[in-house]
Amino acid sequence: KAVRPDLIILKVTASHPDGFEAAAALKQEPSTAGIPLILIGAQEGDQTKVRALELGAEHFLPTPVETEELLARVQQSLRRKRSALPAPSLASGHLQVFPAFTLVQMLETERRTVRLVLTRGEEHGELIFVDGAIARAVQAARWGEAAVYQLVTWREGTFQVAPLDGALQGQRDIVVPNQVLLLEAMRRLDEVPGLRAKLPDPAKPLVIPGALRSSLAQNLPSDVWALASLLDGTRGLNQVLAQSPFDDWMTLKALVYLWSVRALTSVGGGSERRGCTPANGCQV
């Protein structure tokens, strides 16, 4: 799963089923099902060949294998795999049909080197894939993993898949495997409603008091200050989330903390703590 080969050659025998079991496991796993298989083994009647083909092997070659025939079968399988991939020209569709999460898995399985451009209303984002792995990502003020966590949860909007400029293929900001990123994104998504419930009415602008803002401006890292600077009494929760350099989960975690220690208030809300109690982790 970590290193997806273009093709797999397995040795099988009727008396030792390990090769057949490996073939079955590869074809049952969605992330490896598209990898062509060539099985080689003793021709123990037609049953061995039939079983190999039933498992989804491209070819079964009896031993001893002729080198020229094996190379020809390998080339044939790889040509067939390449012809089955989508054309490298622009492809597009709706996220309601193919959510971003699904698109990431498809592009990984096909080991594509492409740009995936996502649009949701006025929001835009881009994921760069190199050999099926997410290498770079950007969405509004977010980049890297923060942009990935935001984008892969989109289920509405449109997408475009475009060829990747050769100059961008060597640039990589993200080294975490796709599956790890997807699992973490889903975990964060599950926690977002609970975090939102600890904050005030989303329509009320959020503000950090002036004296504290001055202190924070001098002591916070630039990305954290980029979030804190949004809390100036002109933006409600949804606007802050849209403009934050962090993904929704990380932004909400920071806001809940500031709210719980009374370093954050809402304009017109005073000390209101909607849904904020010791039971759900807030300090009152």
Side-chain angles (χ1 to χ4, degrees):
K1 293 181 182 180
V3 180
R4 305 286 172 79
D6 294 304
L7 180 140
I8 296 173
I9 301 173
L10 284 173
K11 183 177 181 180
V12 298
T13 64
S15 56
H16 294 85
D18 293 3
F20 288 117
E21 291 175 357
L26 288 164
K27 290 301 180 182
Q28 289 170 6
E29 167 62 42
S31 63
T32 57
I35 301 175
L37 296 180
I38 296 179
L39 272 57
I40 63 174
Q43 184 73 51
E44 300 170 339
D46 291 337
Q47 184 177 1
T48 306
K49 181 177 181 179
V50 170
R51 186 179 180 187
L53 297 177
E54 286 178 343
L55 286 173
E58 296 266 320
H59 304 286
F60 174 81
L61 300 178
T63 53
V65 178
E66 294 290 336
T67 303
E68 291 78 6
E69 182 178 6
L70 176 59
L71 289 174
R73 298 296 188 184
V74 166
Q75 292 170 353
Q76 182 183 27
S77 295
L78 293 178
R79 282 196 300 268
R80 184 179 299 145
K81 179 184 178 182
R82 284 192 293 268
S83 66
L85 291 176
S89 59
L90 280 176
S92 61
H94 294 277
L95 295 175
Q96 290 89 331
V97 179
F98 292 105
F101 188 98
T102 301
L103 291 170
V104 170
Q105 294 179 312
M106 293 172 61
L107 294 172
E108 180 181 23
T109 298
E110 296 173 356
R111 301 182 68 173
R112 302 292 301 279
T113 297
V114 294
R115 294 169 56 238
L116 175 62
V117 182
L118 305 177
T119 302
R120 186 177 66 176
E122 298 299 319
E123 297 180 280
H124 305 276
E126 183 174 295
L127 295 168
I128 301 295
F129 290 78
V130 176
D131 198 24
I134 300 175
R136 304 183 70 192
V138 61
Q139 191 272 317
R142 305 175 180 96
W143 61 276
E145 292 180 27
V148 175
Y149 295 143
Q150 197 72 11
L151 290 170
V152 299
T153 63
W154 286 14
R155 296 178 178 273
E156 296 179 352
T158 61
F159 71 87
Q160 288 186 320
V161 179
L164 183 61
D165 187 292
L168 297 176
Q169 294 186 22
Q171 301 180 20
R172 178 178 292 274
D173 300 325
I174 300 170
V175 296
V176 179
N178 291 2
Q179 294 305 312
V180 175
L181 291 169
L182 293 178
L183 289 173
E184 177 61 15
M186 294 302 104
R187 184 192 71 79
R188 294 184 176 208
L189 183 64
D190 287 342
E191 294 185 11
V192 163
L195 292 171
R196 290 182 68 108
K198 297 178 180 180
L199 293 168
D201 184 343
K204 293 181 177 180
L206 298 169
V207 59
I208 295 176
L212 180 57
R213 283 174 58 82
S214 299
S215 174
L216 293 177
Q218 299 174 11
N219 296 289
L220 288 178
S222 58
D223 55 348
V224 181
W225 171 244
L227 170 59
S229 66
L230 299 174
L231 306 171
D232 59 358
T234 65
R235 301 173 180 83
L237 177 59
N238 292 334
Q239 290 175 298
V240 172
L241 290 173
Q243 299 175 35
S244 172
F246 305 107
D247 66 285
D248 284 357
W249 178 85
M250 183 65 74
T251 302
L252 288 166
K253 291 279 284 186
L255 296 180
V256 166
Y257 172 76
L258 292 172
W259 186 255
S260 70
V261 299
R262 299 184 181 272
L264 178 68
T265 62
S266 60
V267 176
S271 59
E272 171 196 3
R273 293 291 187 270
R274 182 176 68 91
C276 188
T277 68
N280 62 25
C282 289
Q283 300 176 22
V284 183

